[in-house]
Amino acid sequence: SQQGEEDPQALSIQEGENATMNCSYKTSINNLQWYRQNSGRGLVHLILIRSNEREKHSGRLRVTLDTSKKSSSLLITASRAADTASYFCATDARGGKLIFGQGTELSVKP
Amino acid sequence: NAGVMQNPRHLVRRRGQEARLRCSPMKGHSHVYWYRQLPEEGLKFMVYLQKENIIDESGMPKERFSAEFPKEGPSILRIQQVVRGDSAAYFCASSPQGREPQHFGDGTRLSIL
């Protein structure tokens, strides 16, 4: 079964608003990664947070990790129409195999 | 620096035929991973290979599916005697020496008639 569960499944916002997506997982991890997938394309790596980190930033992205709750969140600030995509969290427990959540479909309306 | 290249992008097969999906990793990457994505779902791990070795095949169906990554040439995911349930997008990823992050190709969309 899938490791992660993401919520919400779908999110629709206006340009300029912030978007927050959450991910929960079940087992111990080495790191947690977030990927973006545009329709019909492959996954693009966004950001990685290690199990000993609590927060990480990259441009308009902010990721938090709470290992005690086995959860992570991805915040996209000042969203743009180009951010419209599906977002997946993936956990890496033992080097190599990534276990993906079901994804959040984000729609940013201009 | 070319990314992960997968071909074909789209593949149509009739039930019972064989499907061969190819993946050329990024230059300098010696580790390859295959994932399958069913409609409206996230990716599910299938197999992890290094050159000439299978490291982890815990996600591969026991029958009809095989994967290889020869010393020379691309990695191949082979599905024999395809069935309708094999219809999915198959993604390949590569990484340098098994270290993160994994870089993904654009996938092969397999349709079974």
PDB file of all heavy atoms in Angstrom, chain B residues 76-102:
ATOM      1  N   ILE B  76      15.833  -1.541 -19.968  1.00  0.00           N
ATOM      2  CA  ILE B  76      14.639  -2.029 -20.642  1.00  0.00           C
ATOM      3  C   ILE B  76      13.680  -2.595 -19.605  1.00  0.00           C
ATOM      4  O   ILE B  76      14.086  -3.399 -18.756  1.00  0.00           O
ATOM      5  CB  ILE B  76      14.971  -3.156 -21.648  1.00  0.00           C
ATOM      6  CG1 ILE B  76      16.039  -2.720 -22.642  1.00  0.00           C
ATOM      7  CG2 ILE B  76      13.699  -3.636 -22.354  1.00  0.00           C
ATOM      8  CD1 ILE B  76      15.591  -1.746 -23.687  1.00  0.00           C
ATOM      9  N   LEU B  77      12.427  -2.160 -19.699  1.00  0.00           N
ATOM     10  CA  LEU B  77      11.344  -2.802 -18.942  1.00  0.00           C
ATOM     11  C   LEU B  77      10.524  -3.596 -19.947  1.00  0.00           C
ATOM     12  O   LEU B  77      10.030  -3.036 -20.921  1.00  0.00           O
ATOM     13  CB  LEU B  77      10.474  -1.763 -18.233  1.00  0.00           C
ATOM     14  CG  LEU B  77       9.288  -2.320 -17.423  1.00  0.00           C
ATOM     15  CD1 LEU B  77       9.788  -3.109 -16.214  1.00  0.00           C
ATOM     16  CD2 LEU B  77       8.374  -1.187 -16.951  1.00  0.00           C
ATOM     17  N   ARG B  78      10.398  -4.877 -19.716  1.00  0.00           N
ATOM     18  CA  ARG B  78       9.735  -5.761 -20.662  1.00  0.00           C
ATOM     19  C   ARG B  78       8.491  -6.351 -20.025  1.00  0.00           C
ATOM     20  O   ARG B  78       8.552  -6.866 -18.899  1.00  0.00           O
ATOM     21  CB  ARG B  78      10.714  -6.863 -21.055  1.00  0.00           C
ATOM     22  CG  ARG B  78      10.207  -7.839 -22.078  1.00  0.00           C
ATOM     23  CD  ARG B  78      11.287  -8.867 -22.325  1.00  0.00           C
ATOM     24  NE  ARG B  78      10.870  -9.912 -23.255  1.00  0.00           N
ATOM     25  CZ  ARG B  78      11.367 -11.131 -23.274  1.00  0.00           C
ATOM     26  NH1 ARG B  78      12.287 -11.469 -22.414  1.00  0.00           N
ATOM     27  NH2 ARG B  78      10.948 -12.013 -24.144  1.00  0.00           N
ATOM     28  N   ILE B  79       7.392  -6.259 -20.742  1.00  0.00           N
ATOM     29  CA  ILE B  79       6.140  -6.850 -20.272  1.00  0.00           C
ATOM     30  C   ILE B  79       5.677  -7.857 -21.328  1.00  0.00           C
ATOM     31  O   ILE B  79       5.404  -7.485 -22.472  1.00  0.00           O
ATOM     32  CB  ILE B  79       5.037  -5.785 -20.063  1.00  0.00           C
ATOM     33  CG1 ILE B  79       5.559  -4.601 -19.242  1.00  0.00           C
ATOM     34  CG2 ILE B  79       3.827  -6.422 -19.370  1.00  0.00           C
ATOM     35  CD1 ILE B  79       4.590  -3.433 -19.154  1.00  0.00           C
ATOM     36  N   GLN B  80       5.613  -9.095 -20.936  1.00  0.00           N
ATOM     37  CA  GLN B  80       5.192 -10.140 -21.873  1.00  0.00           C
ATOM     38  C   GLN B  80       3.687 -10.381 -21.740  1.00  0.00           C
ATOM     39  O   GLN B  80       3.095 -10.188 -20.671  1.00  0.00           O
ATOM     40  CB  GLN B  80       5.945 -11.435 -21.576  1.00  0.00           C
ATOM     41  CG  GLN B  80       7.442 -11.337 -21.827  1.00  0.00           C
ATOM     42  CD  GLN B  80       8.172 -12.621 -21.492  1.00  0.00           C
ATOM     43  OE1 GLN B  80       8.289 -12.972 -20.325  1.00  0.00           O
ATOM     44  NE2 GLN B  80       8.652 -13.315 -22.497  1.00  0.00           N
ATOM     45  N   GLN B  81       3.093 -10.790 -22.837  1.00  0.00           N
ATOM     46  CA  GLN B  81       1.676 -11.180 -22.851  1.00  0.00           C
ATOM     47  C   GLN B  81       0.814 -10.146 -22.132  1.00  0.00           C
ATOM     48  O   GLN B  81       0.129 -10.441 -21.159  1.00  0.00           O
ATOM     49  CB  GLN B  81       1.503 -12.563 -22.208  1.00  0.00           C
ATOM     50  CG  GLN B  81       2.266 -13.652 -22.957  1.00  0.00           C
ATOM     51  CD  GLN B  81       2.214 -14.992 -22.239  1.00  0.00           C
ATOM     52  OE1 GLN B  81       2.005 -15.054 -21.030  1.00  0.00           O
ATOM     53  NE2 GLN B  81       2.386 -16.052 -22.992  1.00  0.00           N
ATOM     54  N   VAL B  82       0.855  -8.922 -22.644  1.00  0.00           N
ATOM     55  CA  VAL B  82       0.190  -7.816 -21.963  1.00  0.00           C
ATOM     56  C   VAL B  82      -1.306  -8.051 -21.833  1.00  0.00           C
ATOM     57  O   VAL B  82      -1.941  -8.700 -22.680  1.00  0.00           O
ATOM     58  CB  VAL B  82       0.458  -6.472 -22.680  1.00  0.00           C
ATOM     59  CG1 VAL B  82       1.933  -6.120 -22.633  1.00  0.00           C
ATOM     60  CG2 VAL B  82      -0.069  -6.497 -24.112  1.00  0.00           C
ATOM     61  N   VAL B  83      -1.843  -7.501 -20.744  1.00  0.00           N
ATOM     62  CA  VAL B  83      -3.290  -7.544 -20.475  1.00  0.00           C
ATOM     63  C   VAL B  83      -3.770  -6.110 -20.279  1.00  0.00           C
ATOM     64  O   VAL B  83      -2.961  -5.189 -20.112  1.00  0.00           O
ATOM     65  CB  VAL B  83      -3.602  -8.391 -19.229  1.00  0.00           C
ATOM     66  CG1 VAL B  83      -3.109  -9.818 -19.418  1.00  0.00           C
ATOM     67  CG2 VAL B  83      -2.978  -7.790 -17.976  1.00  0.00           C
ATOM     68  N   ARG B  84      -5.079  -5.925 -20.308  1.00  0.00           N
ATOM     69  CA  ARG B  84      -5.650  -4.572 -20.219  1.00  0.00           C
ATOM     70  C   ARG B  84      -5.188  -3.852 -18.958  1.00  0.00           C
ATOM     71  O   ARG B  84      -4.963  -2.641 -18.967  1.00  0.00           O
ATOM     72  CB  ARG B  84      -7.176  -4.630 -20.245  1.00  0.00           C
ATOM     73  CG  ARG B  84      -7.731  -5.006 -21.608  1.00  0.00           C
ATOM     74  CD  ARG B  84      -8.594  -3.888 -22.162  1.00  0.00           C
ATOM     75  NE  ARG B  84      -8.922  -4.148 -23.557  1.00  0.00           N
ATOM     76  CZ  ARG B  84     -10.004  -4.801 -23.941  1.00  0.00           C
ATOM     77  NH1 ARG B  84     -10.861  -5.271 -23.045  1.00  0.00           N
ATOM     78  NH2 ARG B  84     -10.231  -4.985 -25.231  1.00  0.00           N
ATOM     79  N   GLY B  85      -5.018  -4.588 -17.877  1.00  0.00           N
ATOM     80  CA  GLY B  85      -4.613  -3.977 -16.617  1.00  0.00           C
ATOM     81  C   GLY B  85      -3.199  -3.418 -16.617  1.00  0.00           C
ATOM     82  O   GLY B  85      -2.816  -2.712 -15.682  1.00  0.00           O
ATOM     83  N   ASP B  86      -2.428  -3.727 -17.674  1.00  0.00           N
ATOM     84  CA  ASP B  86      -1.070  -3.172 -17.779  1.00  0.00           C
ATOM     85  C   ASP B  86      -1.086  -1.747 -18.321  1.00  0.00           C
ATOM     86  O   ASP B  86      -0.044  -1.079 -18.327  1.00  0.00           O
ATOM     87  CB  ASP B  86      -0.208  -4.047 -18.697  1.00  0.00           C
ATOM     88  CG  ASP B  86      -0.022  -5.454 -18.151  1.00  0.00           C
ATOM     89  OD1 ASP B  86      -0.076  -5.627 -16.908  1.00  0.00           O
ATOM     90  OD2 ASP B  86       0.181  -6.385 -18.965  1.00  0.00           O
ATOM     91  N   SER B  87      -2.231  -1.289 -18.784  1.00  0.00           N
ATOM     92  CA  SER B  87      -2.345   0.080 -19.304  1.00  0.00           C
ATOM     93  C   SER B  87      -2.019   1.066 -18.184  1.00  0.00           C
ATOM     94  O   SER B  87      -2.662   1.074 -17.137  1.00  0.00           O
ATOM     95  CB  SER B  87      -3.768   0.345 -19.825  1.00  0.00           C
ATOM     96  OG  SER B  87      -4.054  -0.451 -20.953  1.00  0.00           O
ATOM     97  N   ALA B  88      -1.029   1.886 -18.418  1.00  0.00           N
ATOM     98  CA  ALA B  88      -0.556   2.826 -17.391  1.00  0.00           C
ATOM     99  C   ALA B  88       0.533   3.687 -18.003  1.00  0.00           C
ATOM    100  O   ALA B  88       0.948   3.471 -19.145  1.00  0.00           O
ATOM    101  CB  ALA B  88       0.002   2.076 -16.178  1.00  0.00           C
ATOM    102  N   ALA B  89       0.987   4.656 -17.212  1.00  0.00           N
ATOM    103  CA  ALA B  89       2.183   5.406 -17.580  1.00  0.00           C
ATOM    104  C   ALA B  89       3.345   4.821 -16.802  1.00  0.00           C
ATOM    105  O   ALA B  89       3.253   4.625 -15.585  1.00  0.00           O
ATOM    106  CB  ALA B  89       2.014   6.888 -17.259  1.00  0.00           C
ATOM    107  N   TYR B  90       4.421   4.531 -17.505  1.00  0.00           N
ATOM    108  CA  TYR B  90       5.598   3.938 -16.878  1.00  0.00           C
ATOM    109  C   TYR B  90       6.715   4.978 -16.908  1.00  0.00           C
ATOM    110  O   TYR B  90       7.091   5.479 -17.968  1.00  0.00           O
ATOM    111  CB  TYR B  90       6.026   2.673 -17.631  1.00  0.00           C
ATOM    112  CG  TYR B  90       5.024   1.548 -17.459  1.00  0.00           C
ATOM    113  CD1 TYR B  90       3.873   1.495 -18.243  1.00  0.00           C
ATOM    114  CD2 TYR B  90       5.221   0.562 -16.501  1.00  0.00           C
ATOM    115  CE1 TYR B  90       2.938   0.479 -18.086  1.00  0.00           C
ATOM    116  CE2 TYR B  90       4.288  -0.456 -16.324  1.00  0.00           C
ATOM    117  CZ  TYR B  90       3.149  -0.484 -17.117  1.00  0.00           C
ATOM    118  OH  TYR B  90       2.223  -1.486 -16.950  1.00  0.00           O
ATOM    119  N   PHE B  91       7.223   5.286 -15.725  1.00  0.00           N
ATOM    120  CA  PHE B  91       8.251   6.308 -15.603  1.00  0.00           C
ATOM    121  C   PHE B  91       9.571   5.681 -15.179  1.00  0.00           C
ATOM    122  O   PHE B  91       9.617   4.776 -14.346  1.00  0.00           O
ATOM    123  CB  PHE B  91       7.844   7.360 -14.573  1.00  0.00           C
ATOM    124  CG  PHE B  91       6.713   8.244 -15.025  1.00  0.00           C
ATOM    125  CD1 PHE B  91       5.410   7.928 -14.715  1.00  0.00           C
ATOM    126  CD2 PHE B  91       6.974   9.373 -15.789  1.00  0.00           C
ATOM    127  CE1 PHE B  91       4.355   8.732 -15.150  1.00  0.00           C
ATOM    128  CE2 PHE B  91       5.931  10.190 -16.221  1.00  0.00           C
ATOM    129  CZ  PHE B  91       4.629   9.862 -15.902  1.00  0.00           C
ATOM    130  N   CYS B  92      10.617   6.234 -15.729  1.00  0.00           N
ATOM    131  CA  CYS B  92      11.965   5.853 -15.367  1.00  0.00           C
ATOM    132  C   CYS B  92      12.618   7.053 -14.682  1.00  0.00           C
ATOM    133  O   CYS B  92      12.348   8.213 -15.054  1.00  0.00           O
ATOM    134  CB  CYS B  92      12.726   5.477 -16.639  1.00  0.00           C
ATOM    135  SG  CYS B  92      14.488   5.282 -16.430  1.00  0.00           S
ATOM    136  N   ALA B  93      13.422   6.789 -13.695  1.00  0.00           N
ATOM    137  CA  ALA B  93      14.194   7.833 -13.035  1.00  0.00           C
ATOM    138  C   ALA B  93      15.635   7.363 -12.917  1.00  0.00           C
ATOM    139  O   ALA B  93      15.906   6.149 -12.930  1.00  0.00           O
ATOM    140  CB  ALA B  93      13.611   8.143 -11.657  1.00  0.00           C
ATOM    141  N   SER B  94      16.553   8.312 -12.809  1.00  0.00           N
ATOM    142  CA  SER B  94      17.945   7.934 -12.605  1.00  0.00           C
ATOM    143  C   SER B  94      18.572   8.816 -11.542  1.00  0.00           C
ATOM    144  O   SER B  94      18.070   9.910 -11.239  1.00  0.00           O
ATOM    145  CB  SER B  94      18.742   8.029 -13.911  1.00  0.00           C
ATOM    146  OG  SER B  94      18.957   9.376 -14.298  1.00  0.00           O
ATOM    147  N   SER B  95      19.636   8.343 -10.960  1.00  0.00           N
ATOM    148  CA  SER B  95      20.371   9.128  -9.975  1.00  0.00           C
ATOM    149  C   SER B  95      21.843   8.742 -10.047  1.00  0.00           C
ATOM    150  O   SER B  95      22.193   7.650 -10.518  1.00  0.00           O
ATOM    151  CB  SER B  95      19.832   8.889  -8.562  1.00  0.00           C
ATOM    152  OG  SER B  95      20.176   7.603  -8.098  1.00  0.00           O
ATOM    153  N   PRO B  96      22.704   9.657  -9.606  1.00  0.00           N
ATOM    154  CA  PRO B  96      24.125   9.331  -9.585  1.00  0.00           C
ATOM    155  C   PRO B  96      24.463   8.491  -8.359  1.00  0.00           C
ATOM    156  O   PRO B  96      24.219   8.919  -7.231  1.00  0.00           O
ATOM    157  CB  PRO B  96      24.791  10.713  -9.506  1.00  0.00           C
ATOM    158  CG  PRO B  96      23.784  11.581  -8.854  1.00  0.00           C
ATOM    159  CD  PRO B  96      22.432  11.023  -9.169  1.00  0.00           C
ATOM    160  N   GLN B  97      24.921   7.304  -8.542  1.00  0.00           N
ATOM    161  CA  GLN B  97      25.395   6.461  -7.443  1.00  0.00           C
ATOM    162  C   GLN B  97      24.342   6.246  -6.365  1.00  0.00           C
ATOM    163  O   GLN B  97      24.667   6.099  -5.194  1.00  0.00           O
ATOM    164  CB  GLN B  97      26.666   7.071  -6.818  1.00  0.00           C
ATOM    165  CG  GLN B  97      27.776   7.217  -7.830  1.00  0.00           C
ATOM    166  CD  GLN B  97      28.989   7.929  -7.257  1.00  0.00           C
ATOM    167  OE1 GLN B  97      28.922   8.536  -6.189  1.00  0.00           O
ATOM    168  NE2 GLN B  97      30.095   7.862  -7.966  1.00  0.00           N
ATOM    169  N   GLY B  98      23.076   6.242  -6.755  1.00  0.00           N
ATOM    170  CA  GLY B  98      22.007   5.950  -5.807  1.00  0.00           C
ATOM    171  C   GLY B  98      21.691   7.062  -4.843  1.00  0.00           C
ATOM    172  O   GLY B  98      20.957   6.873  -3.877  1.00  0.00           O
ATOM    173  N   ARG B  99      22.230   8.251  -5.082  1.00  0.00           N
ATOM    174  CA  ARG B  99      21.962   9.362  -4.185  1.00  0.00           C
ATOM    175  C   ARG B  99      20.823  10.215  -4.712  1.00  0.00           C
ATOM    176  O   ARG B  99      20.639  10.358  -5.907  1.00  0.00           O
ATOM    177  CB  ARG B  99      23.231  10.197  -4.026  1.00  0.00           C
ATOM    178  CG  ARG B  99      24.370   9.395  -3.418  1.00  0.00           C
ATOM    179  CD  ARG B  99      25.659  10.171  -3.427  1.00  0.00           C
ATOM    180  NE  ARG B  99      25.601  11.338  -2.554  1.00  0.00           N
ATOM    181  CZ  ARG B  99      26.618  12.183  -2.388  1.00  0.00           C
ATOM    182  NH1 ARG B  99      27.750  11.983  -3.030  1.00  0.00           N
ATOM    183  NH2 ARG B  99      26.503  13.225  -1.576  1.00  0.00           N
ATOM    184  N   GLU B 100      20.109  10.807  -3.802  1.00  0.00           N
ATOM    185  CA  GLU B 100      18.981  11.624  -4.215  1.00  0.00           C
ATOM    186  C   GLU B 100      19.472  12.939  -4.799  1.00  0.00           C
ATOM    187  O   GLU B 100      20.583  13.348  -4.538  1.00  0.00           O
ATOM    188  CB  GLU B 100      18.069  11.858  -3.002  1.00  0.00           C
ATOM    189  CG  GLU B 100      18.654  12.736  -1.911  1.00  0.00           C
ATOM    190  CD  GLU B 100      19.562  12.014  -0.916  1.00  0.00           C
ATOM    191  OE1 GLU B 100      19.592  10.791  -0.905  1.00  0.00           O
ATOM    192  OE2 GLU B 100      20.245  12.706  -0.142  1.00  0.00           O
ATOM    193  N   PRO B 101      18.620  13.667  -5.552  1.00  0.00           N
ATOM    194  CA  PRO B 101      17.262  13.237  -5.884  1.00  0.00           C
ATOM    195  C   PRO B 101      17.239  12.391  -7.149  1.00  0.00           C
ATOM    196  O   PRO B 101      18.226  12.332  -7.883  1.00  0.00           O
ATOM    197  CB  PRO B 101      16.543  14.567  -6.132  1.00  0.00           C
ATOM    198  CG  PRO B 101      17.601  15.444  -6.720  1.00  0.00           C
ATOM    199  CD  PRO B 101      18.882  15.040  -6.034  1.00  0.00           C
ATOM    200  N   GLN B 102      16.118  11.761  -7.392  1.00  0.00           N
ATOM    201  CA  GLN B 102      15.945  11.028  -8.635  1.00  0.00           C
ATOM    202  C   GLN B 102      15.389  11.988  -9.691  1.00  0.00           C
ATOM    203  O   GLN B 102      14.525  12.796  -9.413  1.00  0.00           O
ATOM    204  CB  GLN B 102      14.980   9.855  -8.420  1.00  0.00           C
ATOM    205  CG  GLN B 102      15.534   8.817  -7.452  1.00  0.00           C
ATOM    206  CD  GLN B 102      14.576   7.676  -7.183  1.00  0.00           C
ATOM    207  OE1 GLN B 102      13.640   7.429  -7.939  1.00  0.00           O
ATOM    208  NE2 GLN B 102      14.806   6.958  -6.087  1.00  0.00           N
TER     209      GLN B 102
END
